[in-house]
Amino acid sequence: MRTDKEYRDAMDEYEGATTEDAREDKFRQNGIRCSELKRLPYFNMVDCVVVDPAHNLFLGLVNEHFTNVLGIRIQSFQENSVMELKFIDIPSTLSENSIRDIERVKNWLQSPFSTTFGPSRDRGIKKLMRMRADALEYVCSAIQCPLPILPERRKAYGKQDYCESILDWREVQIERRDPAASTSTLCGHVLQPDEMASIWYDLEHILTPSWMTSVPSKLGQASHGKLKADQWRALGTTHLAISLIRLWALSSERSERSRRCYDILKVTLSLISAITLATSHSMTPANADAYLYHMLDYLNGIQRLFPGYRLKPNHHMAIHIHRYLLLFGPVHSWWALPFERLVGSLQRVPNSGKVGEMEETMARAFTRMSNLQTLLSKTGCPEVVQNSRPMFEALFYPQLRDRAAVLPDMGPDMGASDLKGADRALPPDLRVAFLRANIQVPSRCQLPSHVRFNGLIFTTSNKHPCNSCVMIQESGSAAIVPAQIVYVVRLHSGFNQAVTYLGVRRHRAACITRDPYLCFPALMAQIMDACLDELEIIYLQQVVCHFACLPVKFEGQELIVAMSLSRVSNLSIKFGPSTIDSFETRQLFCKIVKGNWA
């Protein structure tokens, strides 16, 4: 790792270059340009720089893992040769076309048999029959494969004889093949086309709340362009985590590939668990240590499963985040995402591009937007402006323009004065639920379609199914269970006072033999029955958060995967001397911190 002096010396070299080309040469050599911070003698270029978790974890590690390790882009590739052949003394009497056929057959013979001539023998014969007879004859002589005995009526061998002899010889040869290649799990090419199609299906059918960043349904295609940090975060910690467990842990297949895919899944979820812990809105020393444990486990697993993979600088920097979590607390108070959003907003401001005018235009536009947001958050905001709120919010939050009109909070939670709808008669099922709860209610009350609580909007299932999926806390218990909001009930309890109840239906517990999602507690996900219990009444304060919901079929049942989207993680993992302090983990930690990448 470089020292402060080495950084400053590289900056001096860059500044000392007299031409633009010379400066670019220095930058390519050192990877450093210059910084105004160099003028501060007390500023240490190493110790005083903090790693930004948003760029490191989302644009760095999540992007790298799913793109270049798992291979979400499904790129074609040529596997390395599994055996070596040398063809010498090729007759000069052969035509150029025959010589090209010889090279083609040689490449086929050096490639894995299963991918070149499989899956059936007829396919291999048909492939070789396209070559010229004199080329096949030479190949038989070069590899010294035995030819069949000719019947009395025949005096010469035909293409069919050569092809069968070559294929018989190749079937018994020993291949020197990478174990990952034999299971079709090479680094960068783990995901198969059918698996990506299944992931695309999940991306289209998963239910997530409207405040969550939208992601492309055809992930890995060039059409969606470059993904932003928020999108990689949503994909890595929610969508792909749920989908990969469904693909590689729910399957009953017991092949060699399925076992290796499960090992890759565990390593992948170590990364996702580390990121989930690091980005929690609460931070404790136990959670910070859990982050380090999962991150080291991920790096250890990557090196074990893909020995040829070279760790990147981002892997090194991720280790240092543990120290910053202990020093500064939750990452939301010091990461760069707010600045990135501000830069994005300023970039969308129309301007002339002229220096001097452009800055003034951006400043005025930003001020107008801030004033409008303040106006919308005030209780005395004009009704005509309030009615236009969805349009304004779509301007403020461009990443949600394609989502429903229930957007992030721009004001206080909903109170009694915010409800101007007429009272309605209670539906029969809702009245029965109140009676079961021993709550006295009038014959009429307000039934709004949504309610704002803790900065989030919760809606009824018939209004917005995604925002109706909530985790609720049982009275007198710390356990949380998934449920669906059916009714929002507002009762006036006094002068300008109101009480909010929710009519919810819980998801039933799934009757299954195993739940692989419970093996990864940091994800806070579980399999539940798709069927709902009878309607019950809860207080609004019992709502903890939304949850992501993916319908699945497992063990012949219609189920769902419910992943809590709580922004506060209470998970703590206790480590013994055999885990985080193991010799292999400490050895990898020293290797990464010293910057000795393979």
Side-chain angles (χ1 to χ4, degrees), residues 101 250 355 417:
D101 284 352
L250 291 184
V355 178
S417 60

Side-chain angles (χ1 to χ4, degrees), residues 467-519:
N467 281 350
S468 70
C469 299
V470 294
M471 304 295 289
I472 61 174
Q473 190 169 17
E474 300 189 49
S475 301
S477 172
I480 58 175
V481 294
Q484 191 176 80
I485 299 175
V486 182
Y487 295 105
V488 177
V489 185
R490 300 285 288 186
L491 300 178
H492 293 277
S493 59
F495 178 74
N496 203 28
Q497 296 291 325
V499 179
T500 302
Y501 295 98
L502 297 181
V504 301
R505 299 180 65 190
R506 303 188 188 197
H507 283 276
R508 298 174 182 172
C511 298
I512 53 177
T513 57
R514 62 187 180 92
D515 186 349
Y517 289 89
L518 297 179
C519 298

Side-chain angles (χ1 to χ4, degrees), residues 251-297:
S251 174
S252 59
E253 187 180 352
R254 293 294 179 267
S255 64
E256 186 178 352
R257 170 177 164 77
S258 66
R259 287 192 292 270
R260 181 169 169 85
C261 284
Y262 187 71
D263 290 338
I264 296 173
L265 172 67
K266 291 190 292 185
V267 171
T268 300
L269 292 176
S270 291
L271 171 64
I272 295 173
S273 297
I275 293 174
T276 301
L277 290 163
T279 56
S280 170
H281 280 222
S282 64
M283 186 54 57
T284 63
N287 279 3
D289 290 343
Y291 162 80
L292 180 61
Y293 167 78
H294 284 295
M295 185 57 68
L296 291 175
D297 188 57

